[in-house]
Structures are given as C-alpha cells and as structure tokens.
Amino acid sequence: MARTQYRGARRRLAAAALASTAALVLSACGGGGAQTQAAGSPTESGSSVAGETATLVSIQPVNDKGVMQDFVAGFEAATKEVNMESNVVVLTDPSTYESTLESVSGRSDLVFTTFPPMIQAVEKVAPKHEDTRYVLLDARLSEPIDNVQELFFRENESSYLAGIVAGEMTEANKVGFLGAIKQDVIDRYLVGFHAGVKSVDPDIKVCFAYVGALNDPALGKQFANTMYNQGVDIIHAATAGTQVGVYQAAEEQEKFLISADVDVRPLAPNFGLTATGPDFSGAAKLAVEQYAAGDFESGLQVYGLADGAVRILPFNDDLVSAEVQQKVEEAKQQIIDGSIKVPDDKSVGDIKNCA
C-alpha cells in the first residue's frame, strides 16, 4: 500500500497517542522492560510528514558513547528537520522486545529498531502492521518483509583499514580484536581487521575474543587488560557500550586502541589511534529523509566505503604517521575501485585465533 493512502489517518492516531506515549509503552511491556523519552516535537512546516510519528526502539543504552549515541543523534536531527514527532524507547529485558514493538507499531508511522536480537520481534510484528514502515539496523531477516528496510553495512571494508593501521604500527607482531557478542555484524569487523593486518605482514598474529556483553564496561576492561597482558600491543574493539572499559584499559596500560564507530580521540586521547565503522548518524538521517520524500525502500539496503556510509574516522595525528595514513588512503581507494576484495563474515570460520 502506498504511504500516501494512510498518511492522514496515521497522523491523527499518532497525535492522539503521543500525549500518553510513556505510560502506554511501559504498560504494554509490563512496566519493567522499557524506558521511554520524547526525542523531539514538530514545528509548523509545510512538510508532508509533519505530525507523523517516528519511534526508535533500542536494545542498548543510547548514551553509550558509541553506536547508539551516534544513531540517536542522527535520528533526532533528521526527524526534527522533517517535522516528525519522535520518541526513543530503550529496552532492557529481551522478554519485552516483541510486546514493545507491537505497542509502538500501532501508533507510529516509522519505526527504527536495532541489531540481530530484534529480528524475531520484527518478523512477528511487522507483517501485522502493513501501514507502518520499519528500519532494522545492521541485521538481516530470514525472508524479506514488504514494509521492512534492512539497513546493512560492510563493516569489514572499514575494519580492513583498521587492520592496516595495526599491521603497520605493531611492534610486538601481535594484535588483538575484541567483539561485543558473537553475531554476523561483529564478525564482519573481525574478518576485515584480520585481512587488513595480514595484507601488511602475514606473520603478524591476530588474537580475538568476544566479551559477551553490549554494555558492560567493567567486563570490557577486564578482557582488554587480559589481551594486553598476553602481549598484544594494539586492540581493535567493536564492543558497543562495553567499549568504555576498553578505552580505560588502553590508557592505563599505555597501549594502543582502534575503536569502532565513534571518534576515539576524546575517549582515549593518549593511546587511541583512530576508529572505523558505519556512519550511524548519517544512516539514520538517510532513512528518515527517504521516508519523508516518499522514497522508502523495503528490503536489503547495503552500504560500504564507496557510499561513504562506512569510513575510517580521524586519526590521532600525534600517534599515526603521515606515511601510515597514506597507506590507509591508498587501500581505501582500492577497495572502492574493486581492486581489493575484502572477505565478509561468511569466512569467519577460516580465521585461527592468535595465528
């Protein structure tokens, strides 16, 4: 069904529901699984989506100094720009994923949700709400759904560049990778990083581990300290909110860190080299803009270095030489023009730990 056929009705339902959004969401989730905040309100405008409602459902804290903080910033800025009502719901209990998504779907025109743990909820809820559009961040459905966009990134391409930095700068010939949890998104970071390191020197050892948590800084610090103590002198971490502890370990151990997704320099100013990953803020803006323009596309939307949607973030120029930065730029262009083919998460099983 074309969005223009239901936009007016949706706007009226959204306006009626927003006055009690927080109470309704918490009630639908049994009271204990969600935290709701109004992210923005529309201003008078000629926008065709003014007064419609966008809701972001996150399964990890949105003030994580990482992925979600960046994504929420883009979501809030974009919805404000097109004058949509916007809300952010943070889930802490997996048993509430489906019920919360069901609740917000009934009064939202556009729903964002995040990462593979939400796949099952989206697959159950979205087909029942044909007039709602969904954006699933960094995850793949088992089968396409007509009103769901799967916003997917080639993190392996940007992490390949992280591997070049680590390969060029390691003095121990032993580098490490820390992932938050074992899933295809994190595997892409690992596979790309491993390939980039080995492109510099096949004899450099790449050790890896999964912390098992998206938001446990103490555990992240523990894992990073263990890895540094085992002789690794550079870690590439893709650990979401857990990454705060990895920053602390790098600074205290005085060993290098390559972060993921957000600028590492203010977070690990003395030993943070750079960061790689998707432009989550830009991705959120792109999806909102597509919806507002009537150009929402369901199905798999894949973005990589060539699209500017994944990238290597600014270097700490005091730590990363101009020569290394130039090698990274050359590799980036070779990935974009296709002369370097970066393996993806399907090859993760081929990687041997600390080899």
Side-chain angles (χ1 to χ4, degrees):
M1 179 187 299
R3 180 157 54 85
T4 53
Q5 294 176 330
Y6 65 85
R7 178 176 284 159
R10 270 298 194 188
R11 185 183 299 118
R12 290 190 294 273
L13 288 171
L18 274 168
S20 56
T21 295
L24 285 168
V25 170
L26 289 173
S27 174
C29 299
Q35 302 166 9
T36 306
Q37 64 187 65
S41 300
T43 56
E44 290 300 322
S45 160
S47 170
S48 60
V49 295
E52 291 192 29
T53 304
T55 301
L56 191 159
V57 181
S58 175
I59 61 171
Q60 63 190 68
V62 297
N63 58 346
D64 62 353
K65 297 183 179 179
V67 172
M68 286 313 303
Q69 189 164 320
D70 199 34
F71 193 64
V72 169
F75 170 78
E76 292 179 344
T79 51
K80 182 177 181 180
E81 180 68 24
V82 299
N83 296 287
M84 294 183 75
E85 296 277 3
S86 60
N87 299 283
V88 177
V89 179
V90 180
L91 302 182
T92 58
D93 180 358
S95 70
T96 66
Y97 289 178
E98 184 178 339
S99 59
T100 303
L101 192 62
E102 179 70 45
S103 176
V104 302
S105 295
R107 56 185 178 277
S108 300
D109 302 280
L110 178 64
V111 176
F112 286 80
T113 190
T114 57
F115 308 127
M118 283 297 294
I119 290 173
Q120 186 175 7
V122 171
E123 289 180 333
K124 289 184 176 180
V125 173
K128 296 187 290 183
H129 296 272
E130 296 180 355
D131 290 348
T132 299
R133 298 296 183 257
Y134 297 83
V135 178
L136 178 60
L137 176 66
D138 236 0
R140 295 282 302 273
L141 300 172
S142 57
E143 294 183 0
I145 300 175
D146 288 344
N147 56 334
V148 180
Q149 178 182 117
E150 301 156 77
L151 193 56
F152 202 69
F153 302 99
R154 295 190 178 100
E155 293 94 344
N156 50 316
E157 293 183 350
S158 55
S159 278
Y160 183 95
L161 305 180
I164 291 177
V165 175
E168 292 288 346
M169 294 189 62
T170 181
E171 295 181 354
N173 274 354
K174 187 178 183 182
V175 301
F177 173 84
L178 282 179
I181 57 178
K182 176 66 174 170
Q183 60 185 30
D184 56 0
V185 176
I186 305 300
D187 287 346
R188 286 196 293 278
Y189 284 94
L190 168 59
V191 169
F193 179 68
H194 181 272
V197 170
K198 295 297 184 178
S199 75
V200 176
D201 184 348
D203 293 330
I204 297 174
K205 293 181 179 179
V206 180
C207 301
F208 61 89
Y210 296 87
V211 177
L214 290 167
N215 189 45
D216 190 337
L219 192 60
K221 185 176 182 179
Q222 176 185 325
F223 269 75
N225 279 330
T226 297
M227 193 167 274
Y228 285 134
N229 290 337
Q230 291 174 343
V232 164
D233 62 352
I234 302 175
I235 290 176
H236 180 29
T239 48
T242 297
Q243 204 150 276
V244 174
V246 184
Y247 302 143
Q248 295 167 352
E251 293 291 289
E252 292 172 10
Q253 291 261 11
E254 298 185 352
K255 292 186 178 178
F256 292 133
L257 169 67
I258 300 171
S259 184
D261 309 321
V262 295
D263 190 348
V264 73
R265 294 172 300 172
L267 302 167
N270 299 305
F271 292 91
L273 301 176
T274 184
T276 70
D279 176 3
F280 284 102
S281 178
K285 291 177 183 177
L286 177 63
V288 171
E289 289 168 358
Q290 285 179 347
Y291 175 82
D295 295 328
F296 180 89
E297 295 184 29
S298 62
L300 184 62
Q301 308 294 318
V302 182
Y303 300 102
L305 284 175
D307 309 293
V310 298
R311 75 278 201 235
I312 189 160
L313 281 86
F315 295 96
N316 184 329
D317 292 329
D318 293 333
L319 301 176
V320 184
S321 70
E323 180 183 3
V324 171
Q325 294 186 36
Q326 180 59 34
K327 289 180 179 180
V328 168
E329 181 60 29
E330 291 170 358
K332 174 184 173 182
Q333 294 306 318
Q334 289 176 310
I335 293 170
I336 290 173
D337 69 27
S339 55
I340 291 178
K341 303 291 186 184
V342 183
D344 62 18
D345 56 281
K346 296 181 181 64
S347 66
V348 70
D350 299 331
I351 299 176
K352 295 181 180 180
N353 207 346
C354 290

